[in-house]
Amino acid sequence: MIMPASGEQQIMVAVNAVSKAYRRGNQPIPVLEGISFQIARGEFLALMGPSGSGKSTLLNLIAGIDTVDSGSIVIDGVDIATLDESELARWRASNVGFIFQFYNLIPVLNAFENVELPLLLTTLSRRERRQHVEAALDVVSLSDRREHYPSQLSGGQQQRVAIARAIVTDPAILVADEPTGDLDRVSAGEILELMGRLNAEQGKTIIMVTHDPRAAEKAHIIRQLDKGLLNDVPA
Amino acid sequence: MFLLKLLFRNAFRHRVRTLLTILGITVAILAFGLLQTVVSAWYAGVNASSSTRLVTRNAVSLVFSLPIAYQERIRRIEGVSSVSYANWFGGVYITEKNFFPNFAVDAKSYLDLYPEFVLPPDEKRAFQLDRKGCVIGKKLAERFGWKRGDSIPLKGTIFPGNWEFVVRGIYSGVDTSTDESQFFFHWDYLNETLRKTIARRADQTGVYIIGLKNPQAASEVSLAVDATFKNSLAETLTETEKAFQLSFVSMTEAIVVAIRIVSFVVIIIIMVVVANTMAMTARERIGEYAIFKAMGFQAHHIAGMVFGESLFITAAGGGIGILLTFPVARTFGEVMGNFFPVFQVDRSTLYMDLVFCLIVGIIAGIFPTWRAIRIKVADGLRRIG
Ligand SMILES: Nc1ncnc2c1ncn2[C@@H]1O[C@H](COP(=O)(O)OP(=O)(O)O)[C@@H](O)[C@H]1O
Ligand SMILES: [Mg+2]
């Protein structure tokens, strides 16, 4: 079902003439108006723009947790609009890792268990799951905090656990919505450094929404979203 | 395994709220169990009574008696194997508060008709030989610490005077549904005294008890008995002992129905409480469910979490409630023993408890599950932060 991308293009994400409006009462509020762009495999892209410009909306569409009004989004050769709800859920489970502004760990699960969550949807054995979780926690340098609950971790540590959770299934794409938005400068620096490493060493395609210029510097490409339209900004 | 761990920890996230909810279910199940047991205790006499015995009474009302001469005529009716008789005595031991049922019975025949009253043969003989002897139930004996050979004074209410009896036998019930709080003595003793004091009330009895050769013939024999005494001075009404007992109980049927309704209302109330708890919980966790969904978890996973938690809470409360029902019912039965000679939890009550817990758990989970499943991931995530 999931076709491999054709070798020469190496296009990971193709956004084609995507429009999206929300409805408030009878009034449609256009958020994205005919947006098109592509993201190459292994790219690290920063989406910037003023608050309310539709960055999160666009990111959600690419991540397959929201649906376009018109246009299409093709990821690694799959037009995700053609997938039904449960196909889409399975597609997300194996292709997309999520990193949120507020980490969004499950408070009743410790670091290890939080990272293990996405693996419960796979056919891996318990032992294999443990190996994967340990490897992921190792990448984010939190192996020694595996028994800690989210409330026992700092914001930066929680975000690193969230990143471990995002990469534990080895998805090709990471989407991050303001991943440093709630962090102090030092922690934010660590998170950005970590994401840079995931991009450089593991070849993850990363799409990061941010309005922090320092965060954007980490990216190869910055795109500005303003009033539903996209502008290129050279990195 | 992971799901169970998650359920358990989720359930105790708001420890106080969950414990209070569990406590609520426990109390509801307990109340339901007790009320149901009160109802069945009410009908215990009916259920324990036999449909192979007939009871003949005055057709006008139970307060009127029947001539003792009827015994011989009833005995001759086709299908009758034996006839005995009993008279409600209404005697009081010291004060009215010490109520227990006491009857003047035909000492020769009565106990043979009641195989559920188990009495050693020598005690039975001792009873039959002593004109002032009486036989009492085990529970009654324990209640007042009476032993064989004890002398017991009863104050007559229907039949004035002070009456003295000697305990000659203590019967035990053949099973737990048998009333062990009754008191029997010789009708002859009553009658001889009446002959001397109130002669017009002598040679009478309240009811006849008829043993049947064939239980299937109950209605034919009933009709035959009543036909025999048609147009005589005291016409009779004959029915199975079950029907006879039921006619007593149903005098207060409205109260029993009310108790029954209340017991179900209790369950409905707790259903609303649990549903509210679950709705609150799910509302707080909408964002979390969105995260699960973003990661690829599907509707059935979410449903499993919500229903699992809801069922876990009801199972915990219900389980404790069911376990507590037995000791509480026992204590209740001891305290109320004079009103309810037989007070025990029916197995059907336990089955109903289990079914109600299941229903409450499922109904409480429906709305939150529906909400959690329906919410779009992007909208759910927007609720966070
Ligand atoms: N579910 C929704 N219903 C109505 N309006 C929405 C909804 N989600 C987002 N919006 C509106 O769409 C616009 C873009 O939102 P968003 O994509 O979150 O912007 P950004 O992430 O760039 O701040 C905002 O004006 C926001 O209020
Ligand atoms: Mg946003």
Side-chain angles (χ1 to χ4, degrees):
Chain A
M1 185 188 65
I2 295 170
M3 293 173 289
S6 52
E8 61 272 23
Q9 274 184 326
Q10 288 292 302
I11 297 298
M12 193 63 184
V13 178
V15 176
N16 305 315
V18 161
S19 295
K20 174 84 180 172
Y22 291 107
R23 214 157 292 279
R24 201 159 286 156
N26 283 335
Q27 191 85 12
I29 302 164
V31 177
L32 303 175
E33 296 179 88
I35 288 193
S36 298
F37 70 107
Q38 298 181 335
I39 304 169
R41 184 182 293 275
E43 193 58 85
F44 189 162
L45 175 122
L47 259 181
M48 298 192 71
S51 185
S53 58
K55 304 182 298 293
S56 296
T57 302
L58 181 55
L59 193 71
N60 290 345
L61 293 173
I62 294 170
I65 56 174
D66 205 351
T67 48
V68 297
D69 292 345
S70 65
S72 71
I73 293 174
V74 179
I75 295 177
D76 212 1
V78 179
D79 181 349
I80 59 173
T82 63
L83 304 178
D84 68 26
E85 201 171 326
S86 90
E87 286 169 336
L88 197 57
R90 262 173 278 148
W91 176 82
R92 283 197 304 269
S94 49
N95 291 282
V96 185
F98 288 88
I99 303 164
F100 306 98
Q101 179 175 357
F102 298 105
Y103 338 126
N104 293 348
L105 300 175
I106 305 301
V108 290
L109 300 178
N110 64 27
F112 185 95
E113 293 160 343
N114 263 289
V115 177
E116 192 181 4
L117 270 183
L119 295 178
L120 298 175
L121 295 170
T122 66
T123 54
L124 296 180
S125 72
R126 209 186 154 108
R127 209 168 124 251
E128 289 167 322
R129 289 207 304 266
R130 199 184 64 228
Q131 288 165 350
H132 281 72
V133 173
E134 279 166 357
L137 283 171
D138 200 39
V139 169
V140 301
S141 317
L142 280 178
S143 298
D144 55 335
R145 300 294 159 98
R146 42 179 292 169
E147 306 289 339
H148 289 228
Y149 286 87
S151 60
Q152 300 167 323
L153 297 169
S154 72
Q157 288 170 330
Q158 287 187 60
Q159 192 61 299
R160 275 148 63 194
V161 173
I163 291 173
R165 182 178 67 182
I167 61 172
V168 75
T169 53
D170 197 23
I173 303 171
L174 293 181
V175 297
D177 196 341
E178 314 242 15
T180 59
D182 202 46
L183 293 177
D184 63 81
R185 210 199 245 238
V186 176
S187 302
E190 285 170 10
I191 294 298
L192 290 168
E193 194 271 329
L194 180 55
M195 290 176 68
R197 234 168 1 99
L198 289 172
N199 173 249
E201 292 168 14
Q202 299 193 9
K204 303 288 182 204
T205 304
I206 300 181
I207 309 162
M208 174 176 69
V209 165
T210 185
H211 53 231
D212 175 3
R214 253 192 321 275
E217 272 171 25
K218 269 282 173 198
H220 307 157
I221 298 181
I222 301 173
R223 292 202 180 243
Q224 282 281 352
L225 201 56
D226 200 0
K227 301 197 178 74
L229 299 169
L230 204 60
N231 309 307
D232 275 329
V233 177
Chain B
M1 269 325 289
F2 201 99
L3 182 68
L4 282 182
K5 184 163 64 183
L6 188 61
L7 286 184
F8 188 76
R9 294 200 200 150
N10 266 338
F12 285 100
R13 224 145 130 175
H14 289 276
R15 206 157 299 183
V16 174
R17 183 201 290 171
T18 303
L19 289 178
L20 284 177
T21 308
I22 289 178
L23 180 70
I25 299 164
T26 300
V27 171
I29 287 295
L30 204 53
F32 178 80
L34 282 183
L35 292 173
Q36 286 293 318
T37 307
V38 166
V39 171
S40 55
W42 196 269
Y43 285 107
V46 178
N47 290 330
S49 64
S50 144
S51 46
T52 66
R53 288 188 295 253
L54 301 178
V55 175
T56 298
R57 58 177 164 114
N58 192 300
V60 178
S61 159
L62 200 58
V63 297
F64 297 105
S65 50
L66 294 169
I68 202 66
Y70 282 13
Q71 185 185 19
E72 275 315 306
R73 293 175 66 189
I74 292 172
R75 199 195 304 282
R76 286 198 300 269
I77 290 169
E78 177 76 28
V80 173
S81 67
S82 56
V83 187
S84 188
Y85 47 89
N87 209 358
W88 178 259
F89 180 66
V92 168
Y93 177 63
I94 305 171
T95 94
E96 303 268 352
K97 275 221 294 257
N98 293 332
F99 172 84
F100 53 86
N102 44 78
F103 302 92
V105 305
D106 178 27
K108 292 187 294 296
S109 58
Y110 191 78
L111 287 168
D112 292 337
L113 272 170
Y114 286 86
E116 60 263 46
F117 299 144
V118 181
L119 188 67
D122 57 318
E123 293 185 17
K124 185 173 161 189
R125 214 170 311 115
F127 164 65
Q128 286 171 339
L129 290 175
D130 180 359
R131 209 174 46 88
K132 289 194 168 189
C134 67
V135 168
I136 62 178
K138 201 171 83 188
K139 229 168 154 175
L140 184 63
E142 282 162 8
R143 182 173 162 202
F144 296 111
W146 291 336
K147 291 177 293 295
R148 271 180 298 143
D150 282 2
S151 196
I152 295 160
L154 292 189
K155 201 156 45 181
T157 54
I158 306 168
F159 305 98
N162 290 311
W163 305 71
E164 192 83 19
F165 306 96
V166 179
V167 178
R168 291 300 175 199
I170 296 175
Y171 73 85
S172 50
V174 75
D175 61 39
T176 50
S177 70
T178 308
D179 182 355
E180 290 181 334
S181 69
Q182 299 190 16
F183 182 112
F184 308 108
F185 63 91
H186 289 243
W187 177 87
D188 290 340
Y189 174 37
L190 171 68
N191 200 50
E192 281 159 26
T193 312
L194 286 178
R195 272 192 187 148
K196 282 178 254 165
T197 53
I198 329 169
R200 64 183 164 82
R201 291 179 69 181
D203 298 322
Q204 308 268 323
T205 189
V207 295
Y208 286 98
I209 297 99
I210 301 172
L212 293 168
K213 283 184 183 143
N214 171 13
Q216 254 75 58
S219 54
E220 288 91 324
V221 175
S222 300
L223 290 173
V225 172
D226 293 345
T228 306
F229 302 106
K230 189 104 188 133
N231 298 324
S232 56
L233 212 54
E235 293 195 348
T236 60
L237 176 67
T238 304
E239 54 198 350
T240 62
E241 190 181 85
K242 229 185 187 79
F244 175 74
Q245 292 280 2
L246 202 56
S247 70
F248 270 105
V249 172
S250 54
M251 284 191 251
T252 37
E253 183 115 45
I255 294 170
V256 176
V257 170
I259 292 175
R260 226 175 224 158
I261 290 172
V262 168
S263 73
F264 289 106
V265 168
V266 168
I267 297 293
I268 291 170
I269 290 172
I270 199 62
M271 187 166 341
V272 174
V273 170
V274 180
N276 182 51
T277 304
M278 286 312 297
M280 252 154 90
T281 302
R283 194 157 47 240
E284 291 163 359
R285 299 207 196 129
I286 273 298
E288 265 169 50
Y289 294 137
I291 292 165
F292 275 105
K293 282 165 109 176
M295 288 191 288
F297 287 84
Q298 298 194 31
H300 62 272
H301 299 114
I302 309 283
M305 288 182 224
V306 182
F307 279 119
E309 186 173 339
S310 166
L311 285 170
F312 170 78
I313 289 176
T314 45
I320 300 171
I322 288 172
L323 289 182
L324 286 181
T325 300
F326 291 98
V328 171
R330 198 175 310 126
T331 310
F332 192 84
E334 276 160 19
V335 174
M336 304 292 282
N338 311 338
F339 298 98
F340 301 118
V342 176
F343 195 83
Q344 55 177 349
V345 183
D346 286 346
R347 186 168 301 182
S348 66
T349 302
L350 297 186
Y351 293 150
M352 277 196 272
D353 282 344
L354 292 176
V355 170
F356 282 137
C357 285
L358 197 66
I359 292 175
V360 169
I362 288 173
I363 289 191
I366 288 176
F367 176 67
T369 303
W370 177 73
R371 262 178 71 116
I373 286 176
R374 208 192 42 143
I375 187 125
K376 283 170 68 182
V377 181
D379 293 338
L381 288 174
R382 221 172 273 277
R383 302 272 180 97
I384 306 169

